[in-house]
Amino acid sequence: MKYVQRRAGRYEFRFPLPDDLAGKAAPFGAPASLQPLINTATKCFKRELVRSLKTNEAAMAERKALAEIAATHALVDAARAFVKEGPAASIAPTQIEALAIAHESRILRGDEAFREKGLGFDPTFHRRPQHDGGMSDVDLDLYAFAIKFLDQERRGELARMRPGEDISMQVNKAIREAGLVLHPDDPAWRQLELAFLRAQRRAFDGIKARLNGEDVPSPPPPPATPEAVTTKGLTINAALEHWKGGGGRGAKKPREDSVFEASRAVQRFVEMHGDMPIADISKAQGRAFRDALAALPKSLPHKLIQLPLPELLKRDLSKYPARSAQTVNKTLALLGGILTRAERDGHFDALGGWTNPFHVAFEIATKDKEPYEPFSTVELAKLFNSPVFARGQRPRGGSAEAAYWFPVVALYSGARRTEIAQLRLCDLRQSSEGLWFFDFNDQGEGQSLKNSSSMRSVPVHPELVRLGLLAHHAARLTRHPADAPLWSAFIPPIATRAKAWSKWFGRYLGIHVVDDPAKTFHSFRHTFKRACREAGLSEEVHHALTGHSGGGVGRSYGRERREDGSLDRGISMARLHVELSKVKFDIFIAAQKSQSANDEPQNG
């Protein structure tokens, strides 16, 4: 039968495209229905359409081929019509949204550049050479007057739902630059004009806030490439940028380490499948990417880690330690989160029954679902009798004094690795009662927290005072400003430095204490929680110390406002100090002098 061919014991459907299409460049804006005929890499029509008929029986193959023949002829007719007539004279709601966001971003970025340069007027309103950046007082007054006038004009237009002529000109320019086709009578023109008007009003709100001294970041512009604003929606790289931006002023942004890991995951996906429109990513591609990640070791030498994913998979990587299923699932969850954000923004509205292609995680064995375990007393004794603690060694990978203090602080506070790493000098301070405490917050450069409950104040344990933490703090405070890092090596970006430190500590732990995947730096947090229970601390108290959420609505009652505007955990500092002092460990840690005097690590 024509179009049916047997290959490797199975039948497949092979349909050569006609000469007027085969190999020809596909015009921009091809609808999603024609994508089976287009090579996504070359942007040209394929020369042949090949599909498996999924049978090894000739009669069954011929019956299946009949349906394929009819469907493919219809696709060819649609492709010829598209080549002749061009794209449909309309645009999708996602395109309108993308163009409006780009307009708002353009205004706010222009405002940043304008105010950095200044107008250059002197008080007599004569032009003068602008030697210094920024706005003079006269510049600022003139600019504020102009923005107020324009904002009032836009408010009036929005109240009347009648965009002015300049809005129409801006829409026309944006449509032309995006390479989109829109019929003059299309109702989408009015939707675009109103969207641009609202975007301009939002931008003016941001500019007025800036003129009042507020720090208002400009939203990242959507990709300017035509592929990113077609009816197929954003590419995965563009979706990543939107996810990283978090949204407008006041919107929650992903943590620094999550951004780093998500960016790496998207890079690997693009290496394997290309910078695909997110609407085109299938479950099959999600599974293929999952399996590719599972085939990669958890760590590789530098010369290999730089290779693209397809090239890496060709290598023999069996001598390197295998990657855990949980790590793969974490990567898939990040990618799934990026697409979930895009879904909330309406980028999949045109797709009926869309499901997230990265929701293909491995099923984790029950024994591995809770991998971290607390350290035993014997393991803690081994650790604190190892070279860093007993002989004052400061290995370069341990980042000077961080090698000593990170484990000790974690043991007596239950804080996470990144929470400790990002502490500034001003984050270790005294309360009104004179009690020293850690202020875990996300107010400084490079600081981030896992969630809102992680923002908390934790008293400094008496053992940390005995070991000299306050002396270390005082020594650094005499030579550095209050917003400097508490640990000399941990200047922003914090996440990448903390990750590198964690790798060093994992190696150190394996050599001197225990080589067990269930025992990592995070085990200090588990050790602290267990010690809290052994000391008789209530769950409410040790949750307040570690930043865990839990309990009913009553847990939110009685909370007082902290200095940074956030709410405390509803328990006074004095009570937390008393309770924390009950937590003890049957080990001895020798007090070591801090190595931060010259801020240089020693070899060891």
Side-chain angles (χ1 to χ4, degrees):
M1 184 180 181
K2 190 178 181 181
Y3 307 128
V4 175
Q5 177 177 316
R6 185 178 177 88
R7 185 178 181 183
R10 306 279 284 181
Y11 286 96
E12 60 185 16
F13 172 73
R14 304 182 72 91
F15 188 101
L17 267 64
D19 292 342
D20 58 327
L21 294 178
K24 302 292 193 305
F28 165 73
S33 59
L34 295 184
Q35 292 309 306
L37 300 182
I38 298 173
N39 185 316
T40 55
T42 65
K43 309 297 182 186
C44 294
F45 286 108
K46 298 175 181 177
R47 296 188 178 277
E48 185 179 35
L49 189 65
V50 181
R51 290 176 179 166
S52 172
L53 293 172
K54 299 179 180 179
T55 182
N56 55 7
E57 297 180 8
M60 177 64 72
E62 290 182 359
R63 286 196 294 272
K64 287 188 173 185
L66 291 174
E68 294 286 353
I69 291 170
T72 305
H73 275 298
L75 273 177
V76 168
D77 291 342
R80 283 172 166 159
F82 172 73
V83 170
K84 180 180 179 181
E85 300 170 7
S90 189
I91 57 176
T94 52
Q95 293 171 281
I96 294 175
E97 178 192 11
L99 290 169
I101 291 173
H103 183 57
E104 178 185 359
S105 176
R106 187 163 50 247
I107 293 172
L108 285 170
R109 285 183 290 117
D111 167 73
E112 283 183 346
F114 184 70
R115 288 188 302 109
E116 284 179 5
K117 183 179 179 182
L119 294 169
F121 280 109
D122 66 12
T124 59
F125 291 88
H126 293 294
R127 293 287 298 182
R128 59 174 173 79
Q130 185 74 8
H131 299 296
D132 301 321
M135 307 275 277
S136 69
D137 290 341
V138 176
D139 289 346
L140 201 62
D141 289 341
L142 286 172
Y143 188 51
F145 176 80
I147 292 299
K148 180 180 179 181
F149 173 79
L150 291 172
D151 182 52
Q152 288 175 343
E153 196 171 67
R154 294 294 172 262
R155 286 177 181 274
E157 291 174 0
L158 196 57
R160 296 188 297 272
M161 296 293 279
R162 283 191 173 185
E165 186 177 345
D166 56 336
I167 292 287
S168 298
M169 292 172 62
Q170 291 164 5
V171 169
N172 194 38
K173 182 174 181 287
I175 287 287
R176 185 174 63 253
E177 289 177 350
L180 298 173
V181 176
L182 197 61
H183 193 278
D185 297 329
D186 196 307
W189 273 110
R190 176 165 173 75
Q191 297 172 26
L192 271 166
E193 289 174 347
L194 290 173
F196 269 51
L197 183 56
R198 294 187 183 100
Q200 203 162 74
R201 273 284 304 108
R202 292 194 302 270
F204 283 150
D205 281 344
I207 293 173
K208 288 190 294 183
R210 287 173 175 175
L211 290 170
N212 285 328
E214 294 186 36
D215 182 17
V216 181
S218 299
T225 56
E227 292 83 357
V229 291
T230 64
T231 54
K232 297 167 72 59
L234 301 177
T235 63
I236 190 167
N237 262 321
L240 169 68
E241 292 304 314
H242 278 287
W243 175 80
K244 284 162 58 175
R249 182 158 53 105
K252 182 181 178 182
K253 292 186 178 181
R255 294 182 298 154
E256 182 185 351
D257 54 345
S258 297
V259 169
F260 176 81
E261 292 178 15
S263 299
R264 184 63 174 154
V266 169
Q267 177 189 339
R268 286 300 195 194
F269 182 86
V270 171
E271 289 171 357
M272 185 171 182
H273 292 300
D275 190 14
M276 296 181 63
I278 53 177
D280 280 356
I281 301 174
S282 65
K283 284 270 190 181
Q285 288 165 323
R287 288 192 298 270
F289 183 61
R290 175 200 66 190
D291 296 340
L293 289 178
L296 290 182
K298 67 177 182 179
S299 60
L300 286 167
H302 184 74
K303 64 179 181 180
L304 289 180
I305 204 168
Q306 302 299 320
L307 294 176
L309 182 56
E311 181 63 29
L312 264 177
L313 295 175
K314 296 176 184 177
R315 304 293 182 98
D316 180 12
L317 305 174
S318 56
K319 64 181 179 180
Y320 301 107
R323 183 179 301 242
S324 73
Q326 285 185 316
T327 302
V328 175
N329 286 357
K330 182 180 179 182
T331 301
L332 294 172
L334 282 170
L335 294 175
I338 293 171
L339 265 60
T340 298
R341 161 69 194 276
E343 181 188 23
R344 287 200 301 268
D345 290 346
H347 290 288
F348 299 104
D349 286 353
L351 300 178
W354 177 83
T355 58
N356 200 313
F358 294 113
H359 288 176
V360 288
F362 290 117
E363 183 72 23
I364 304 298
T366 303
K367 65 181 181 65
D368 294 326
K369 286 184 178 179
E370 187 62 43
Y372 302 117
E373 297 176 7
F375 291 118
S376 67
T377 303
V378 172
E379 289 164 346
L380 289 175
K382 283 185 179 181
L383 175 63
F384 295 118
N385 280 284
S386 66
V388 164
F389 302 91
R391 298 200 293 273
Q393 288 186 4
R394 296 295 181 264
R396 186 167 296 275
S399 304
E401 72 274 15
Y404 177 86
W405 284 114
F406 277 27
V408 178
V409 172
L411 180 66
Y412 284 101
S413 69
R416 301 176 178 91
R417 176 200 65 199
T418 51
E419 292 174 343
I420 299 171
Q422 69 186 19
L423 284 170
R424 300 167 297 173
L425 291 169
C426 58
D427 295 329
L428 177 54
R429 60 179 190 268
Q430 283 182 293
S431 69
S432 56
E433 304 101 316
L435 299 173
W436 285 91
F437 67 95
F438 296 108
D439 181 12
F440 294 112
N441 62 75
D442 57 0
Q443 303 302 306
E445 181 186 358
Q447 289 186 315
S448 62
L449 294 172
K450 185 175 182 179
N451 47 48
S452 58
S453 64
S454 299
M455 196 171 296
R456 64 199 188 280
S457 299
V458 178
V460 175
H461 194 284
E463 184 67 6
L464 294 178
V465 177
R466 182 189 75 81
L467 293 173
L469 178 63
L470 299 185
H472 163 77
H473 175 262
R476 281 189 59 76
L477 201 56
T478 61
R479 295 177 290 110
H480 300 282
D483 61 352
L486 181 57
W487 325 107
S488 59
F490 284 84
I491 58 175
I494 306 296
T496 51
R497 299 179 192 279
K499 190 179 291 290
W501 187 92
S502 186
K503 290 180 179 180
W504 167 81
F505 182 75
R507 295 191 298 270
Y508 185 86
L509 199 67
I511 293 170
H512 297 286
V513 183
V514 59
D515 186 10
D516 183 345
K519 303 295 177 79
T520 68
F521 187 84
H522 199 70
S523 295
F524 285 116
R525 192 163 166 84
H526 288 251
T527 307
F528 179 80
K529 292 290 279 190
R530 186 176 181 88
C532 286
R533 298 186 188 104
E534 293 293 330
L537 273 63
S538 68
E539 184 181 77
E540 186 175 19
V541 169
H542 61 73
H543 275 9
L545 293 170
T546 56
H548 284 112
S549 58
V553 69
R555 289 283 173 90
S556 64
Y557 282 39
R559 298 170 66 187
E560 292 183 346
R561 189 75 56 185
R562 296 175 2 133
E563 290 181 13
D564 61 7
S566 62
L567 293 171
D568 69 6
R569 300 303 299 269
I571 304 174
S572 70
M573 183 67 66
R575 166 78 189 288
L576 289 176
H577 182 268
V578 170
E579 294 293 315
L580 180 60
S581 299
K582 298 176 183 177
V583 176
K584 302 182 187 300
F585 297 95
D586 188 19
I587 55 174
F588 174 77
I589 306 174
Q592 296 287 334
K593 290 184 178 180
S594 171
Q595 300 296 314
S596 62
N598 56 14
D599 286 350
E600 288 291 335
Q602 299 177 2
N603 292 326

Coordinates of all heavy atoms in Angstrom, one line a residue, residues 21 24-31 34-35 38 43-45 79-80 82-87:
L21 N 6.0 22.7 -1.1 CA 6.2 22.9 0.4 C 7.5 22.3 0.8 O 8.2 22.9 1.7 CB 5.1 22.2 1.1 CG 3.7 22.8 1.0 CD1 2.7 21.9 1.8 CD2 3.6 24.2 1.4
K24 N 10.9 24.1 1.9 CA 10.7 25.6 1.8 C 10.6 26.2 3.2 O 10.1 25.6 4.2 CB 9.4 25.9 1.0 CG 9.5 25.3 -0.4 CD 10.5 26.0 -1.3 CE 10.3 25.7 -2.7 NZ 10.3 24.3 -3.1
A25 N 11.0 27.4 3.4 CA 10.9 28.1 4.6 C 9.4 28.4 5.0 O 8.7 28.9 4.1 CB 11.6 29.5 4.6
A26 N 9.1 28.0 6.2 CA 7.7 28.3 6.7 C 7.5 29.7 7.0 O 8.3 30.2 7.8 CB 7.4 27.4 7.8
P27 N 6.5 30.4 6.5 CA 6.3 31.8 6.9 C 6.1 32.0 8.4 O 5.6 31.1 9.1 CB 5.1 32.3 6.1 CG 5.0 31.3 5.0 CD 5.5 30.0 5.5
F28 N 6.5 33.2 8.9 CA 6.3 33.4 10.3 C 4.9 33.4 10.7 O 4.0 33.8 10.0 CB 6.9 34.8 10.7 CG 6.5 35.3 12.0 CD1 7.0 34.8 13.2 CD2 5.6 36.3 12.1 CE1 6.6 35.3 14.4 CE2 5.2 36.8 13.3 CZ 5.7 36.3 14.5
G29 N 4.6 32.9 11.9 CA 3.2 32.9 12.5 C 2.4 31.7 12.1 O 1.2 31.7 12.2
A30 N 3.1 30.6 11.8 CA 2.4 29.4 11.4 C 1.5 28.9 12.6 O 2.0 28.8 13.7 CB 3.3 28.3 11.0
P31 N 0.3 28.5 12.4 CA -0.6 28.1 13.5 C -0.1 26.8 14.1 O 0.6 26.0 13.4 CB -2.0 28.0 12.9 CG -1.7 27.8 11.5 CD -0.5 28.6 11.1
L34 N -0.2 23.4 12.2 CA 0.7 23.0 11.1 C 2.1 22.6 11.6 O 2.9 22.2 10.8 CB 0.9 24.2 10.2 CG -0.3 24.7 9.4 CD1 0.1 25.8 8.5 CD2 -0.9 23.5 8.6
Q35 N 2.3 22.6 12.9 CA 3.6 22.2 13.5 C 4.1 20.8 13.1 O 5.3 20.6 12.9 CB 3.6 22.4 15.0 CG 3.5 23.8 15.4 CD 4.5 24.8 14.7 OE1 5.7 24.5 14.8 NE2 4.0 25.8 14.1
I38 N 6.4 21.1 10.2 CA 7.5 22.0 10.2 C 8.6 21.5 11.1 O 8.4 21.0 12.2 CB 7.0 23.4 10.7 CG1 5.9 24.0 9.8 CG2 8.2 24.4 10.9 CD1 5.3 25.2 10.3
K43 N 13.0 25.7 10.9 CA 11.9 26.6 10.6 C 11.4 26.4 9.1 O 10.9 27.3 8.5 CB 12.2 28.1 10.9 CG 12.8 28.4 12.2 CD 11.8 28.0 13.3 CE 12.4 28.3 14.7 NZ 11.6 27.8 15.8
C44 N 11.7 25.3 8.6 CA 11.3 24.9 7.2 C 10.3 23.8 7.2 O 10.3 23.0 8.2 CB 12.5 24.6 6.3 SG 13.7 25.9 6.1
F45 N 9.5 23.7 6.1 CA 8.6 22.5 6.0 C 9.5 21.3 5.8 O 10.5 21.3 5.2 CB 7.7 22.7 4.8 CG 6.6 23.7 5.0 CD1 6.6 24.9 4.4 CD2 5.5 23.4 5.9 CE1 5.6 25.8 4.6 CE2 4.5 24.3 6.1 CZ 4.5 25.5 5.5
A79 N -1.6 24.0 4.9 CA -0.3 24.7 4.8 C -0.2 25.5 3.5 O 0.3 26.6 3.5 CB 0.8 23.6 4.8
R80 N -0.7 25.0 2.4 CA -0.8 25.8 1.1 C -1.6 27.1 1.3 O -1.2 28.1 0.8 CB -1.3 24.9 0.0 CG -0.3 23.9 -0.5 CD -1.0 22.9 -1.5 NE 0.0 22.2 -2.2 CZ -0.2 21.0 -2.8 NH1 -1.5 20.5 -2.8 NH2 0.7 20.4 -3.5
F82 N -2.1 28.7 4.1 CA -1.3 29.6 5.0 C -0.2 30.3 4.2 O 0.0 31.5 4.3 CB -0.7 28.8 6.1 CG 0.2 29.6 7.0 CD1 -0.3 30.6 7.8 CD2 1.6 29.4 6.9 CE1 0.6 31.3 8.6 CE2 2.4 30.1 7.7 CZ 2.0 31.1 8.5
V83 N 0.5 29.5 3.3 CA 1.6 30.1 2.5 C 1.0 31.2 1.6 O 1.6 32.3 1.4 CB 2.3 29.1 1.7 CG1 3.3 29.7 0.7 CG2 3.1 28.1 2.7
K84 N -0.1 31.0 1.1 CA -0.7 31.9 0.1 C -1.3 33.1 0.8 O -1.1 34.3 0.4 CB -1.8 31.2 -0.7 CG -2.5 32.1 -1.7 CD -3.6 31.3 -2.5 CE -4.3 32.2 -3.5 NZ -5.3 31.4 -4.2
E85 N -2.0 32.9 1.9 CA -2.8 34.0 2.6 C -2.1 34.6 3.8 O -2.5 35.7 4.2 CB -4.2 33.4 3.0 CG -5.0 32.9 1.9 CD -6.2 32.1 2.4 OE1 -6.5 32.2 3.6 OE2 -6.9 31.5 1.6
G86 N -1.1 34.0 4.3 CA -0.4 34.5 5.5 C -1.1 34.2 6.8 O -2.2 33.5 6.8
P87 N -0.6 34.7 7.9 CA -1.2 34.4 9.2 C -2.6 35.0 9.3 O -3.0 36.0 8.6 CB -0.3 35.0 10.2 CG 0.5 36.1 9.4 CD 0.5 35.6 8.0

